[in-house]
Amino acid sequence: MAPERASAPAGQGADAGPRGASGLRANRNWQKLWLGQTVSQLGDYVFDVTVLLWVGTVLAKGRTWAPTAVSGVMLAAAVPTVLVGPLAGVFADRWNRKRTMMNADLIRAGVIGLLLLVPLFASDLPLWAQLAAVYTAVAGTSVVAQFFNPSRFATIGAAVAEEDRARAFSLASASANTVSVLGPPLAAPLLFTVGEQWALLVNAVSFLVSYLCIRFTDVPAATADHNGGKGDFWAELAEGWSFIRGNNVLATVAVSVFLYLFGVGAVNVLEVFFVSENLRTDPSWLGTLNGALGAGMIVGALLMARTARRLGERRLFGWGILATALLLFVYARSTSLLFSIGVLGLVGIPLGMVNAVLGPMLLNEIPNRLLGRVNSALNPLVYVASVSSMSLAGILVSDLGPDFAWSFAGLHFHRIDTVMTVSSCLMALAGAVAVIRLRTGRRAAPGAEDPAAAVAVPDDPR
């Protein structure tokens, strides 16, 4: 690879745009990163759904252990996030971040390319070997992603001026929500009409597109953050966790996100049963409901930047969670399909705002040298909260049984809406914690070496 050039501050390098131009329209570094991220995410969605269908309906077709085989795919993706993610953050802070992202994309393209050999030689491979290859590929790409994701987060923070970050994350989140709606429907036709190898090829190519987009960015020098490379690994790891504990905003985000996602996880796993038992309609409508939620999230993400300027990022985070919880409570009480579609569309708006505002909030709090470690420490919360919640919700609903019913204050509850109501209350608690704790700011300790380590004054209208 060619040596990287020293570059100007965020958004002002050789690719930042014409003289006198400002904002994201002139920031070609951001545009290339955005394009690469969007294409890569589309490939990931196609890949994820394809692998689940491939394992469940092709490799394990007709087997009693097919659900377990599908669960193995999800486990292979989740375990590296929890176990490797926090450790990878140390290296993401030590290594050149642009080169880390490029190497990660090439490795993932290579892993998926090797997986293409499985359908090509399926007749010569025993079933266990094919499943082992799938699990290994999924786990391998997940491990590499733990190095890529914090590096990308830090790179976007340095490539985009602070006043443009809210808009940048708003557009990136809207793109992610769009491909989350478009990607899964593409997977099944690819698998059942032209075969799984073409879906795998789409994902491999998406990594190569991402590589090229990153390769031709003029990444600001601040993202090539070498911290010696041979420091005390465990001390560096502990420094990230200590920074979270000592920063009011980050500690509050960690607690709120855990409670919030604990509630969301239960709703996700129970939705199919809610459609059949509470809405009393065919489960095939679940796709329409999810589409309404996705559409709302796109709208919410696009509105985030403007709303954050009016309310402030912290207020938007806390009140957005509270609004999501309230609308989810209304959804849990619904018995009409059309009403539920409308409510889920509304749920998506504050949900999209909350997801999009997290990025700029974190960048305002974390010093550049700690971005990888802090980001990698927070990410496992998503998986731990979601997986724990989904497991507990499934056990509770199974134990309650289909005939469970009770009443309170004139409201009648059954097993699914009971758990979903409790979930909305957990989300409301998460929002209340954020609203209360983020009303006042606390400055960093004297001697903090990065201005981003300081907490902004209360209600700062960014």
Side-chain angles (χ1 to χ4, degrees):
M1 298 176 192
E4 294 164 28
R5 296 169 290 169
S7 51
Q12 298 175 15
D15 263 344
R19 182 180 299 273
S22 61
L24 297 180
R25 290 183 181 179
N27 191 334
R28 290 195 287 272
N29 281 328
W30 150 249
Q31 292 165 10
K32 292 169 187 174
L33 290 169
W34 182 26
L35 174 63
Q37 177 179 342
T38 302
V39 173
S40 180
Q41 288 172 335
L42 179 60
D44 287 343
Y45 277 109
V46 172
F47 174 76
D48 293 344
V49 177
T50 296
V51 169
L52 292 175
L53 291 173
W54 183 20
V55 170
T57 65
V58 179
L59 297 181
K61 182 178 181 179
R63 313 273 182 162
T64 57
W65 43 265
T68 303
V70 172
S71 298
V73 175
M74 302 176 72
L75 189 63
V79 168
T81 303
V82 178
L83 299 183
V84 179
L87 306 179
V90 175
F91 297 104
D93 284 334
R94 287 182 177 183
W95 295 342
N96 181 295
R97 288 165 177 161
K98 176 178 177 179
R99 189 172 294 118
T100 298
M101 291 190 293
M102 291 166 59
N103 290 339
D105 276 336
L106 289 178
I107 292 171
R108 289 186 289 183
V111 170
I112 301 303
L114 289 175
L115 188 59
L116 277 166
L117 298 175
V118 173
L120 293 177
F121 296 98
S123 58
D124 299 322
L125 293 173
L127 180 57
W128 68 265
Q130 297 181 57
L131 288 172
V134 171
Y135 295 149
T136 301
V138 170
T141 55
S142 181
V143 167
V144 177
Q146 306 317 307
F147 296 87
F148 179 91
N149 292 336
S151 298
R152 178 182 64 193
F153 179 71
T155 300
I156 292 175
V160 178
E162 183 175 352
E163 61 269 20
D164 294 327
R165 286 175 180 170
R167 179 66 175 160
F169 278 92
S170 173
L171 292 172
S173 184
S175 299
N177 291 326
T178 300
V179 298
S180 73
V181 174
L182 299 178
L186 294 175
L190 279 173
L191 175 64
F192 295 119
T193 58
V194 295
E196 60 275 359
Q197 62 269 24
W198 288 100
L200 299 178
L201 184 61
V202 166
N203 196 34
V205 170
S206 75
F207 286 128
L208 295 178
V209 172
S210 175
Y211 166 84
L212 291 173
C213 289
I214 295 167
R215 175 67 183 83
F216 292 107
T217 56
D218 183 21
V219 181
T223 63
D225 192 15
H226 301 281
N227 291 329
K230 295 182 180 179
D232 186 331
F233 177 87
W234 298 109
E236 291 180 33
L237 180 64
E239 187 181 8
W241 287 99
S242 297
F243 188 82
I244 294 174
R245 291 196 302 270
N247 183 292
N248 177 60
V249 173
L250 296 179
T252 300
V253 166
V255 173
S256 298
V257 166
F258 186 87
L259 292 172
Y260 178 62
L261 292 173
F262 200 90
V264 171
V267 175
N268 288 340
V269 79
L270 296 179
E271 265 196 299
V272 64
F273 303 103
F274 180 80
V275 172
S276 58
E277 294 187 21
N278 291 68
L279 300 185
R280 300 186 183 278
T281 190
D282 193 277
S284 62
W285 282 98
L286 181 61
T288 302
L289 288 165
N290 286 336
L293 179 65
M297 291 180 69
I298 294 171
V299 173
L302 291 174
L303 292 176
M304 184 277 288
R306 179 177 299 179
T307 308
R309 284 196 299 269
R310 294 173 62 108
L311 296 180
E313 291 165 0
R314 300 183 196 176
R315 278 184 174 178
L316 177 57
F317 177 72
W319 287 105
I321 293 177
L322 283 173
T324 304
L326 175 61
L327 288 168
L328 183 61
F329 176 83
V330 174
Y331 175 69
R333 305 302 312 143
S334 174
T335 57
S336 164
L337 175 62
L338 291 179
F339 180 77
S340 297
I341 292 172
V343 172
L344 268 190
L346 294 176
V347 169
I349 295 175
L351 181 60
M353 290 184 181
V354 170
N355 290 346
V357 81
L358 262 177
M361 272 186 64
L362 296 180
L363 284 173
N364 288 341
E365 301 301 324
I366 309 170
N368 178 65
R369 64 184 184 83
L370 290 173
L371 277 171
R373 279 165 284 176
V374 174
N375 186 258
S376 294
L378 293 174
N379 279 340
L381 289 176
V382 175
Y383 282 86
V384 172
S386 297
V387 172
S388 302
S389 176
M390 288 188 288
S391 301
L392 181 60
I395 293 172
L396 283 175
V397 167
S398 298
D399 287 344
L400 292 177
D403 297 326
F404 176 83
W406 64 289
S407 299
F408 176 76
L411 299 176
H412 302 286
F413 296 86
H414 299 85
R415 62 172 185 166
I416 304 299
D417 54 272
T418 294
V419 177
M420 290 176 65
T421 299
V422 172
S423 296
S424 68
C425 292
L426 277 176
M427 294 169 66
L429 176 61
V433 168
V435 168
I436 293 171
R437 287 182 58 87
L438 297 181
R439 280 190 302 184
T440 58
R442 181 168 54 82
R443 296 191 179 277
E449 63 181 89
D450 193 304
V455 177
V457 294
D459 301 331
D460 182 20
R462 291 185 175 83

